[in-house]
Amino acid sequence: MKLENYQDITVPQQAKTVGEVVTFVSMVEVERARKELKLSQIDESHFSDAEMILAIQKQKEVAASTVVPVILDWLVDSNFILSPSQASAFIRDEEKYAGNGYQYKTIGELDFDSNGNYYLVVASSPQKKVASIYKVYTSGSIQELVVQ
């Protein structure tokens, strides 16, 4: 048998792609990470298994000895208002809520509701003792309370 109509065929090369290796995290590792958080006095019940797995993967990525620094970074990132003075300054700088001639003062201590930790901030002016009251959450969201 002779190949008379034989032609060279060139196959185009496919572009090389970079793939990620799927890594599995066992539930034993998740439970160990939960115990590490508990020992560090962080309430581990606020984190789902998926979040714990992400924390463990990040821990391995940065070569940390525990997941605690990873979780602390997340907490600081999502709760950047850490003091009453920061709450007052935050609402003063927020264009939507900043009023001309208003003074902002935080009243009370850090409080908690179903939306998270917050500080109560009162906006007052020379004309009104209380113009508005705001809940300034540690995550940066603001909720105005109705003043009658």
Side-chain angles (χ1 to χ4, degrees):
M1 182 158 137
K2 205 173 189 185
L3 297 174
E4 295 174 9
N5 294 332
Y6 176 75
Q7 297 176 356
D8 285 338
I9 299 175
T10 56
V11 177
Q13 289 187 348
Q14 294 180 348
K16 293 181 181 179
T17 58
V18 177
E20 287 188 33
V21 176
V22 177
T23 57
F24 294 95
V25 176
S26 71
M27 290 309 289
V28 173
E29 288 180 272
V30 171
E31 289 306 315
R32 185 174 54 238
R34 287 190 184 283
K35 286 179 186 174
E36 291 170 356
L37 291 178
K38 198 173 214 172
L39 289 173
S40 298
Q41 298 179 348
I42 298 173
D43 187 3
E44 80 285 351
S45 65
H46 290 292
F47 300 97
S48 69
D49 287 345
E51 289 170 322
M52 293 303 296
I53 290 169
L54 287 174
I56 292 167
Q57 288 174 339
K58 184 70 172 178
Q59 170 200 354
K60 291 175 182 177
E61 193 177 297
V62 297
S65 59
T66 67
V67 297
V68 174
V70 174
I71 298 293
L72 287 175
D73 282 348
W74 290 354
L75 291 174
V76 169
D77 284 345
S78 65
N79 295 294
F80 59 91
I81 298 174
L82 303 175
S83 70
S85 60
Q86 283 180 321
S88 296
F90 181 76
I91 200 163
R92 187 180 313 111
D93 296 339
E94 189 67 30
E95 291 178 18
K96 181 178 176 183
Y97 299 99
N100 291 333
Y102 287 130
Q103 293 180 334
Y104 296 95
K105 183 175 181 181
T106 305
I107 56 173
E109 296 294 317
L110 182 67
D111 208 345
F112 180 83
D113 66 9
S114 61
N115 295 323
N117 294 322
Y118 67 89
Y119 292 98
L120 276 178
V121 177
V122 175
S124 61
S125 68
Q127 294 81 18
K128 286 178 114 178
K129 279 191 170 184
V130 176
S132 296
I133 299 176
Y134 302 96
K135 285 184 178 179
V136 179
Y137 290 91
T138 57
S139 62
S141 62
I142 300 171
Q143 178 183 12
E144 185 173 7
L145 302 176
V146 177
V147 177
Q148 298 283 339

